[in-house]
């Protein structure tokens, strides 16, 4: 079949869940037997979000091929259970860098390089690459930001052109808007939606479907009004009331017959009947009364939960599948340094120390690791969290609080976490870390091997610093086990403590591969240990039996 494209634009305001919506639409199509991929077009000038602060951007999501991408790619991968690649996140910076490099090379000799057609052609080329590299039959493309932004104009122009390039039955435009509620009268308003559709039309795009997000139910009269004013079919006005949990969203869209409408418009017939029973079980499981486990996430960006999106999701997957409720406490590592938050830590069933960069809050993370080790509290260290676990143990073993990672102390006498020689020469900060999928061999008889139930895994990385092998023998003799190593034995990938119920750190980021239908083995093992600490019995629930 010809590749079909569904374009998502945003109207009225940003942050209304366009990413989750696109991901859920992808799921509807996958459930009908189609191969789906999703691409995010980000209008900012950075080449990728890898060099941005999490405060600006939230989490950086890493793909198999090492691309550092927008966190919406995490939603796409988790909802649809797919693996995306580098071409699935395009920024204005990438597009211009490419076009300018070609111009300098002389590829356009004699020509004047312009937004239309040169920039728009490059955008269209990159959209086409998604189908070529993933084999997707239906490509979903989400444009970041809101219609009316200066930055997104070239992207929208490219999408407009694609309709005439590819034909009406191969392209669809879905506009996601927001219906504000006027408190005084309790009324939902459609005017901002009308205006943003008008704005979109002035660019030459007429939406085929409008997804109207709101916090309160949308009645039929309002739906009719949007259909009339915005010139879309009534069945193509989809009210999307804020869901209590993310897993309800595909079910809501299914109920609104979005899948059927899209297929009809694209002249496709469903290849299989969607089976929503696992998703219904997932939602039912969320709603059930369950015993609660308390987990502290000790980080420095805790004010902004989006900075730890995948970690939170992974904990959610694991707890749901084990039949317990997650009570996640966001603990500021900087606070711990000032003796703030220790009471909270003392009441926890487990601690997660996630990834991070830079010195702020480091000592608090090390103290959290010390507390977990000495109090035998379950601990999961992710990347920086693993490194700090190693620093803590080295300080204890050597009786020297100066042991450190050279990221934070270049002159430490005990650089137990250090740069690899090949990282020392690097001067550019963007895209130069150890990124993406690497193999890790699990050592038999360890907690890690037991958790994974296999001896070789591939996990996603994003770090510059590594465990320093000069300390391996010493730390091993004192009870640290190096339970995951690169196949050549050179790089330490997982450490764990013997004589502790569960204290494990991974140099990679397991959170990028956890799925609602397939919780990550390390998160499952950690949550099981936390349940044991809480004195709660937990058991794997049969939510996705056919896929597990
Ligand atoms: N800052 C550390 C490093 O670069 C850890 C990175 C991370 O946690 N993602 O190695």
């Amino acid at each position: 079949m010809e590749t079909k494209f569904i374009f998502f634009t945003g109207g009225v305001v940003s942050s209304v869940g366009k990413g989750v919506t696109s991901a859920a639409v992808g799921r509807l199509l996958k459930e009908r037997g189609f191969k789906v991929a999703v691409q995010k077009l980000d209008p900012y000038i950075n080449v990728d979000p890898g060099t941005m602060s999490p405060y600006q951007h939230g989490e950086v999501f890493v793909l198999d091929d090492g691309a550092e991408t927008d966190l919406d790619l995490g939603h796409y991968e988790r909802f649809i259970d797919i693996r995306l690649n580098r071409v699935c996140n395009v920024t204005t910076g990438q597009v211009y860098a490419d076009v300018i490099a070609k111009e300098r090379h002389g590829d356009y000799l004699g020509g004047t390089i312009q937004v239309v057609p040169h920039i728009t052609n490059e955008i269209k080329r990159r959209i086409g690459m998604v189908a070529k590299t993933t084999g997707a039959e239906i490509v979903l493309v989400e444009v970041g930001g809101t219609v009316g932004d200066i930055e997104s104009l070239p992207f929208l122009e490219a999408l407009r052109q694609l309709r005439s390039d590819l034909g009406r039955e191969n392209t669809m435009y879905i506009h996601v808007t927001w219906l504000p509620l006027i408190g005084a009268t309790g009324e939902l308003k459609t005017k901002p939606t009308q205006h943003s559709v008008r704005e979109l039309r002035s660019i030459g795009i007429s939406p085929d479907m409008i997804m109207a997000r709101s916090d309160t139910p949308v009645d039929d009269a309002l739906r009719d009004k949007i259909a009339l004013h915005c010139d879309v079919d009534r069945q193509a006005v989809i009210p999307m009331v804020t869901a209590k949990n993310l897993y309800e969203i595909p079910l809501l869209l299914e109920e609104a017959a979005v899948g059927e409408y899209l297929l009809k418009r694209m002249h496709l017939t469903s290849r299989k009947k969607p089976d929503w029973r696992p998703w219904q079980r997932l939602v039912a499981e969320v709603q059930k009364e369950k015993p609660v486990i308390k987990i502290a996430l000790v980080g420095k960006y805790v004010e902004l939960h989006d900075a730890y999106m995948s970690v939170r999701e992974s904990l959610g997957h694991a707890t749901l599948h084990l039949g317990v409720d997650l009570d996640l406490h966001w603990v500021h590592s900087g606070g711990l340094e000032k003796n703030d938050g220790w009471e909270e830590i003392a009441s926890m069933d487990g601690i997660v120390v996630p990834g991070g960069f830079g010195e702020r809050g480091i000592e608090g993370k090390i103290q959290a690791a010390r507390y977990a080790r000495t109090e035998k509290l379950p601990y999961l260290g992710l990347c920086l969290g693993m490194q700090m676990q190693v620093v803590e143990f080295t300080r204890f073993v050597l009786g020297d609080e100066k042991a450190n990672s050279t990221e934070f102390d270049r002159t430490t006498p005990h650089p137990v976490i250090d740069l690899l020689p090949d990282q020392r020469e690097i001067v550019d900060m963007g895209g130069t870390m150890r990124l993406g999928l690497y193999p890790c061999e699990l050592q038999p008889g360890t907690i890690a091997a037991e958790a994974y139930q296999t001896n070789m895994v591939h996990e996603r990385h994003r770090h510059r610093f590594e465990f320093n092998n000069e300390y391996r023998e010493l730390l091993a003799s004192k009870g640290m086990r190096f339970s995951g190593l690169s196949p050549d034995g050179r790089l330490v990938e997982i450490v764990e403590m013997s004589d502790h119920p569960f204290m494990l750190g991974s140099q990679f980021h397991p959170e990028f591969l956890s799925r609602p239908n397939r919780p990550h083995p390390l998160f499952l093992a950690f949550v099981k240990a936390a349940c044991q600490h809480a004195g709660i019995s937990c058991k794997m629930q049969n939510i996705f039996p056919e896929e597990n």
Side-chain angles (χ1 to χ4, degrees):
M1 74 180 235
E2 271 182 283
T3 315
K4 309 282 180 181
F5 292 86
I6 304 180
F7 304 115
F8 291 82
T9 53
V12 184
V13 284
S14 60
S15 307
V16 293
K18 189 153 39 87
V20 174
T21 306
S22 318
V25 170
R27 185 78 214 189
L28 296 188
L29 298 168
K30 183 179 177 177
E31 284 295 326
R32 286 170 168 75
F34 295 95
K35 192 157 188 324
V36 178
V38 194
Q39 182 182 48
K40 174 92 190 270
L41 305 177
D42 275 314
Y44 51 74
I45 318 285
N46 302 58
V47 167
D48 62 42
T51 53
M52 277 189 229
S53 156
Y55 287 125
Q56 299 269 322
H57 190 270
E59 163 185 284
V60 173
F61 191 81
V62 181
L63 306 180
D64 284 350
D65 62 9
E68 298 175 270
T69 72
D70 186 75
L71 55 74
D72 276 330
L73 276 87
H75 292 310
Y76 309 154
E77 286 205 344
R78 284 188 287 267
F79 260 87
I80 314 176
D81 193 12
I82 43 174
R83 287 177 176 232
L84 298 172
N85 69 37
R86 182 170 295 287
V87 301
C88 297
N89 195 187
V90 174
T91 69
T92 296
Q94 283 171 22
V95 172
Y96 274 81
D98 233 54
V99 170
I100 291 170
K102 283 192 198 135
E103 186 275 334
R104 291 288 83 184
H105 185 248
D107 293 9
Y108 310 106
L109 278 186
T112 306
I113 316 307
Q114 296 181 295
V115 172
V116 184
H118 299 94
I119 295 297
T120 47
N121 281 351
E122 178 59 21
I123 293 170
K124 290 197 286 184
R125 187 184 72 81
R126 284 166 181 257
I127 293 173
M129 287 293 287
V130 178
K132 286 204 189 86
T133 57
T134 62
E137 300 162 297
I138 307 179
V139 176
L140 280 58
V141 181
E142 180 193 345
V143 185
T146 317
V147 169
D149 296 345
I150 294 176
E151 289 91 344
S152 57
L153 277 173
F155 288 117
L156 295 173
E157 168 59 15
L159 302 193
R160 182 195 70 77
Q161 293 174 16
L162 282 171
R163 171 150 283 178
S164 29
D165 294 355
L166 303 171
R168 196 175 129 77
E169 74 277 11
N170 294 326
T171 48
M172 284 204 67
Y173 300 95
I174 299 183
H175 193 49
V176 184
T177 73
W178 176 250
L179 305 176
L181 179 76
I182 303 301
T185 56
E187 253 184 311
L188 282 174
K189 293 305 214 179
T190 66
K191 191 71 82 190
T193 295
Q194 296 176 37
H195 278 298
S196 85
V197 169
R198 192 170 303 159
E199 181 85 34
L200 196 55
R201 283 242 173 74
S202 72
I203 300 167
I205 296 176
S206 290
D208 300 290
M209 180 176 271
I210 291 179
M211 295 194 162
R213 289 269 299 102
S214 87
D215 276 338
T216 50
V218 179
D219 64 23
D220 284 350
L222 215 68
R223 215 174 149 180
D224 289 343
K225 191 168 169 186
I226 297 172
L228 179 70
H229 284 273
C230 301
D231 197 25
V232 291
D233 291 344
R234 193 179 174 283
Q235 316 94 279
V237 177
I238 313 297
M240 284 184 68
V241 181
T242 306
K244 277 197 227 51
N245 77 73
L246 292 182
Y247 310 123
E248 285 178 27
I249 296 169
L251 301 177
L252 292 173
L253 295 181
E254 182 66 35
E255 211 174 302
V258 170
E260 294 317 308
Y261 188 86
L262 294 178
L263 290 197
K264 197 168 98 212
R265 259 287 280 100
M266 296 187 292
H267 301 291
L268 293 174
T269 38
S270 188
R271 292 182 188 150
K272 77 180 183 55
K273 201 168 158 305
D275 179 7
W276 294 106
R277 285 171 304 178
W279 287 78
Q280 284 156 352
R281 282 198 289 272
L282 211 52
V283 172
E285 203 58 44
V286 174
Q287 288 164 349
K288 247 195 236 162
E289 267 299 309
K290 299 184 283 301
V292 179
I293 58 153
K294 289 192 268 186
I295 304 293
L297 191 145
V298 178
K300 70 168 170 177
Y301 309 110
V302 287
E303 311 86 342
L304 184 78
H305 296 182
D306 275 6
Y308 303 111
M309 176 77 81
S310 295
V311 176
R312 183 174 52 169
E313 288 295 308
S314 305
L315 286 168
H317 303 155
T319 45
L320 254 188
H321 280 258
L322 287 168
V324 293
D325 249 333
L326 172 66
D327 180 10
L328 189 58
H329 291 239
W330 304 84
V331 177
H332 207 292
S333 51
L336 295 179
E337 293 169 4
K338 290 181 240 136
N339 252 335
D340 217 15
W342 286 105
E343 251 170 65
E344 200 171 5
I345 292 281
S347 68
M348 293 291 125
D349 302 312
I351 296 180
V352 178
V353 177
F357 297 84
E359 205 183 343
R360 184 166 64 88
I362 283 304
E363 291 300 322
K365 293 181 181 179
I366 295 172
Q367 288 166 21
R370 175 149 302 172
Y371 183 92
R373 183 173 58 78
T374 53
E375 298 298 319
K376 305 241 184 283
L377 186 62
Y379 176 99
L380 180 63
L382 307 170
C383 204
L384 182 64
M386 169 269 198
Q387 297 176 351
M388 294 307 97
Q389 170 185 353
V390 168
V391 167
E392 186 285 317
F393 191 58
T394 312
R395 288 182 180 186
F396 165 73
V397 166
L398 294 173
D400 187 347
E401 294 297 302
K402 288 208 203 64
N404 214 330
S405 160
T406 50
E407 181 178 4
F408 312 120
D409 180 1
R410 275 167 197 248
T411 58
T412 167
H414 303 295
V416 64
I417 303 291
D418 197 8
L419 284 181
L420 280 184
D422 49 353
Q423 276 284 345
R424 293 219 172 97
E425 312 303 320
I426 290 174
V427 281
D428 282 350
M429 294 301 279
T432 54
M433 282 186 260
R434 181 169 179 237
L435 291 166
L437 221 53
Y438 285 91
C440 164
E441 208 167 60
L442 303 167
Q443 310 305 304
T446 57
I447 292 179
E450 169 71 22
Y452 278 108
Q453 292 286 309
T454 174
N455 52 18
M456 181 72 93
V457 292
H458 292 77
E459 294 278 3
R460 293 177 178 177
H461 291 250
R462 179 174 185 248
H463 59 107
R464 228 179 269 288
F465 293 80
E466 301 273 356
F467 181 86
N468 181 347
N469 286 326
E470 282 175 29
Y471 291 84
R472 220 193 264 188
E473 222 172 292
L474 171 71
L475 298 189
S477 72
K478 302 289 181 191
M480 181 166 263
R481 289 198 289 182
F482 299 95
S483 49
L485 300 173
S486 58
D488 64 3
R490 219 166 60 92
L491 300 174
V492 171
E493 297 280 11
I494 310 178
V495 301
E496 59 187 54
M497 293 306 299
S498 45
D499 197 24
H500 190 288
F502 187 96
M503 184 156 191
L504 180 146
S506 66
Q507 186 55 83
F508 49 80
H509 291 271
E511 68 270 26
F512 295 139
L513 289 180
S514 183
R515 302 280 186 265
N517 54 317
R518 209 169 41 251
H520 192 283
L522 293 183
F523 279 91
L524 279 176
F526 167 68
V527 170
K528 279 183 197 159
C531 288
Q532 205 156 32
H533 183 271
I536 292 170
S537 67
C538 60
K539 186 167 142 271
M540 272 307 264
Q541 312 289 300
N542 231 3
I543 303 178
F544 281 83
E546 67 277 30
E547 296 191 38
N548 274 337

